[in-house]
């Protein structure tokens, strides 16, 4: 997953975790991630980078990561 690092975003730190999306800035193609890790807080990431991070394999169980969409 992506984690903020000094204002930039780097892939591959830690094992990843689930965080909800708080919104999407269509004009800028940025996703607003409400990170559940308190040391990061909310942050913005380019949609392409977010999808690239989701398109990886979990090292724990070897299964694909992904995006879950809930609707009512």
């Amino acid at each position: 997953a992506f984690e903020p690092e000094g204002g930039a975003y780097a892939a591959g730190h830690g094992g990843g975790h689930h965080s909800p999306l708080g919104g999407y800035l269509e004009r800028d193609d940025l996703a607003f991630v409400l990170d559940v890790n308190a040391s990061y807080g909310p942050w913005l990431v380019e949609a392409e980078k977010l999808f690239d991070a989701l398109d990886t394999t979990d090292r724990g169980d070897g299964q694909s990561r992904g995006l879950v969409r809930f609707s009512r």
Side-chain angles (χ1 to χ4, degrees), residues 34-46:
L34 300 173
D35 205 312
V36 296
N37 186 331
S39 63
Y40 297 120
W43 45 279
L44 294 169
V45 63
E46 295 167 352

Side-chain angles (χ1 to χ4, degrees), residues 4-71:
E5 187 175 273
Y9 301 95
H13 293 244
H17 56 275
H18 294 91
S19 291
L21 294 180
Y24 175 67
L25 300 171
E26 185 175 0
R27 184 188 73 204
D28 300 312
D29 197 30
L30 294 171
F32 182 51
V33 179
L34 300 173
D35 205 312
V36 296
N37 186 331
S39 63
Y40 297 120
W43 45 279
L44 294 169
V45 63
E46 295 167 352
E48 183 177 353
K49 287 184 178 183
L50 180 61
F51 283 111
D52 287 346
L54 295 169
D55 189 25
T56 59
T57 302
D58 184 86
R59 355 180 242 237
D61 63 13
Q63 295 197 17
S64 297
R65 298 180 192 269
L67 178 69
V68 177
R69 180 179 177 183
F70 297 96
S71 62

